Amino acid sequence: MRTRARRAVDRFNACVLALRSSPRLGKVVSRSLTVVTYTGRRSGTTFSIPVGYRRTGDVVTIGVAFPDAKSWWRNFTGDGAPLTVHLDGADRPGHGLAHRDAKGRVTVTVRL
C-alpha cells in the first residue's frame, strides 16, 4: 500500500510535469527542470521523474535534495547506469554517475 508521503510526491511530480508541458510556463520551467527516465537496477521497471538540473555542454548535473529520503539516485552508484534526459524538446541518452560528498550531498552527473 502506498503511503501518504508517496502519494504526495506523485502528485507534486505530476504538477511539475504539467507545468513543463504548459504553453505559457513550459519554456521557463524547462530551463531548470527536466525529466529523467531510467530503469531500476533491481526491479527492471522504467521510471520517469522530474529533477532540477544544470547543464554545461554535454554534462548535466542533478543535485539530489534530501538524498537519504530518496532512492532513485542509488541506481547510478558504482559504475553508474544509462538514462535518458529530456532536453531542448528531445530525449537525450546519457550515462549517469552518482556521487556523495563528505557532507552527505549527492549529485548525479550525466554525460550525454
Side-chain angles (χ1 to χ4, degrees):
M1 181 173 207
R2 300 178 101 178
T3 66
R4 285 184 187 177
R6 181 76 245 162
R7 286 191 302 263
V9 167
D10 289 346
R11 280 193 296 266
F12 176 78
N13 287 349
C15 290
V16 171
L17 293 174
L19 280 173
R20 287 189 82 248
S21 302
S22 164
R24 281 190 165 170
L25 299 174
K27 287 184 180 182
V28 173
V29 172
S30 294
R31 290 182 199 150
S32 60
L33 294 173
T34 190
V35 176
V36 170
T37 302
Y38 65 95
T39 301
R41 278 187 184 173
R42 287 191 238 167
S43 68
T45 303
T46 300
F47 299 94
S48 293
I49 59 169
V51 297
Y53 77 100
R54 289 182 318 251
R55 181 178 180 186
T56 305
D58 283 343
V59 176
V60 174
T61 304
I62 301 165
V64 181
F66 309 108
D68 294 328
K70 298 174 182 171
S71 60
W72 72 267
W73 62 269
R74 291 175 174 87
N75 287 283
F76 305 100
T77 58
D79 293 333
L83 53 73
T84 302
V85 181
H86 192 82
L87 297 169
D88 304 324
D91 288 336
R92 305 272 313 269
H95 185 84
L97 183 61
H99 172 73
R100 184 185 287 260
D101 69 14
K103 294 184 178 181
R105 294 176 295 214
V106 174
T107 56
V108 176
T109 303
V110 180
R111 300 214 181 272
L112 301 174

